[in-house]
Amino acid sequence: MTTAHTPGAAAPGRLTAPAIEVTGLHKSFGAHHVLDGVDLAVPAGTVYALLGPNGAGKTTMVNILSTLLTADAGELRVAGHDLRRESSRVRAAIGVTGQFSAIDMFLTGRENLRLMADLTHLDRATAARDVTALLDRFDLADAADRRTLTWSGGMQRRLDLAMTLITRPRLIFLDEPTTGLDPRSRREVWRVVREQVADGVTVLLTTQYLEEADALADRVGVLDAGRLVAEGTPAELKAQVPGESTNLDDVFLALTGHTVAATDPAAADPSTDTTQEMTAR
Amino acid sequence: MSAPYVVRDSMTMLRRNLRHLSRYPSMALMLIAIPVVFLLMFVYVLGGTLGAGLPVAGGGTRADYLTYIVPGIWVMTIASVANGTAVSVAIDQTGGMFARFRTMDIARVSVLTGHVLGAVTRTVLGLSVMILFAVALGFRSDAGPAGWLGAAGLVLLLAFSFTWLTVAMGLAAGSVETASNTPLVLMVLPFVSSGFVPTEQMPAGLRHFAEHQPFTPIIETLRALTAGTPVGSDGWLAVGWCVAIGLAGYLWARRQLGKVPVR
Ligand SMILES: Nc1ncnc2c1ncn2[C@@H]1O[C@H](COP(=O)(O)OP(=O)(O)O)[C@@H](O)[C@H]1O
Ligand SMILES: [Mg+2]
């Protein structure tokens, strides 16, 4: 491509190129191998769900793919760019809604969206239009001019997602986007994911719920202790589970031979430092 | 990332920072109130006694003491505002805003320049309040425009350097609470300098420390500049300390920018 790309409007020929290509991804924190040789390919315009319990390495995976952490080893391409060498082009293409809402609590909802629009270098008219449209779409218009500190957790979560969308990403990472949400907000998030995909956007989401992976994903990868232990369409995965159960414990037992609770030796250890140094770039 | 975006993104971040200030003026007022209280307490409660101990002919007065401690109070004001910077940086770090910014294709430095420029703005506001306050209490200066210009320059340099140091402290803190405590050392150190009593009156060990810590030459320089007396070698020491502290803070901050909050 020679011309500057318009986010969200990839050339038709690119739609079939993988949005994410990962081979041999390794990441350790000290002696703890959090990702232990992960291979992953996500075609553009599809939804991929990383399914796994607490401590499986989902957030670490998202942090690496979204340029926040560097991998120890592995061949990684995101949105067609080498993750290490072209990280700023990767950033221009992606949007991230992390596991915990990252919004400015001192600003109003409208100001939060406006901040993201300004940092995306949208012109005034476009920014104003998109802000209003997103506030309406996420049912936040009534509270838009109140400080987000006073908002409910569900509203904050929806705003976080709106802040990601206003940057017009071609590839979106959603880290446990519905954990802790009420059923209505969860449906809302699902609807947004489907709309994005209909527009040609690629979505990689992580979840602890098989039901969610089933409802949204084209392909599901089961992450267990840093390895992808199973991968396939939701139907293929469910076929491996005896009976009718969609309970994650049952899926895990069937796929890994052990239960969810037994997978994370470090999860019980809250003593780890609160922040992690990234390799200098 | 092209140059226009460095400026544009930095301005966006500065606007955000100033909006925080206008939303929560009470936070900034609290930070300025601390040195105001110290000024009042030192002048009116202790000023008579401490003024008498000043090395002027026949012993100084309360008014002499006011003039004596004003430079130290300015330095405290700068330290106090810098404390607020550490807190707001820690809020962005632990709250995930920095991580969010870092996944966006924006000028990297803008993430910090917003905080730094915002802090310098708050410092200028705080110092203006402080100068007016001191004048209202009776502070007078014999210095000409050159002296005041020099003092303003040094004060800005100090503000800039403390800001980088406290940005780094805020990033390193890991929690907002820690971030509000670490910079307190900057508030306490002026007491063990020539800011409030001449170092000659301290016991030997303390005196040695007071004479060689950065605040003493900085305060002595400000005192000379605002009194219109010769600055001497303290001037270069003061500038040197500011540059060294600022540079150390900047490098420390830069090293920590890659940290990802873990919750
Ligand atoms: N910065 C870090 N330092 C040390 N260990 C970490 C760090 N981040 C994550 N871990 C560990 O890596 C494992 C995977 O964590 P994470 O990727 O957050 O899992 P998930 O998102 O699937 O719950 C956990 O055992 C966690 O304790
Ligand atoms: Mg996680």
Side-chain angles (χ1 to χ4, degrees), chain B residues 8-177:
Chain B
R8 182 169 169 178
D9 293 344
S10 297
M11 284 304 119
T12 302
M13 295 296 192
L14 174 60
R15 263 205 313 280
R16 166 175 182 251
N17 210 276
L18 294 181
R19 192 163 275 159
H20 287 178
L21 175 65
S22 70
R23 261 333 119 68
Y24 290 87
S26 56
M27 225 151 86
L29 285 177
M30 265 297 293
L31 295 174
I32 298 172
I34 298 168
V36 165
V37 167
F38 273 110
L39 180 63
L40 290 173
M41 200 174 74
F42 270 85
V43 170
Y44 289 106
V45 180
L46 309 167
T49 310
L50 291 173
L54 286 179
V56 291
T61 61
R62 195 184 298 277
D64 292 328
Y65 189 66
L66 170 67
T67 305
Y68 185 81
I69 66 164
V70 157
I73 290 289
W74 286 341
V75 169
M76 274 187 79
T77 308
I78 297 171
S80 187
V81 172
N83 194 331
T85 305
V87 170
S88 60
V89 165
I91 289 173
D92 274 354
Q93 172 70 1
T94 57
M97 277 312 272
F98 277 157
R100 180 182 270 278
F101 291 144
R102 285 177 46 228
T103 64
M104 300 176 74
D105 184 29
I106 59 176
R108 283 237 140 174
V109 286
S110 69
V111 175
L112 291 186
T113 44
H115 278 287
V116 171
L117 294 176
V120 172
T121 310
R122 287 196 300 274
T123 308
V124 169
L125 287 176
L127 281 173
S128 308
V129 170
M130 221 51 198
I131 290 172
L132 291 178
F133 202 74
V135 169
L137 292 187
F139 175 75
R140 295 293 177 269
S141 155
D142 296 328
W148 277 100
L149 214 64
L154 180 57
V155 151
L156 273 181
L157 183 65
L158 183 64
F160 199 66
S161 116
F162 273 13
T163 297
W164 275 113
L165 183 64
T166 45
V167 162
M169 286 173 171
L171 286 172
S175 80
V176 176
E177 205 167 63

Side-chain angles (χ1 to χ4, degrees), chain A residues 52-60 62-63 98-100 175-176 206 208, chain B residues 263:
Chain A
N54 258 332
K58 303 183 297 295
T59 298
T60 303
V62 168
N63 282 345
Q99 189 171 351
F100 302 93
D175 195 4
E176 300 199 26
T206 76
Q208 300 197 33
Chain B
R263 282 186 273 192

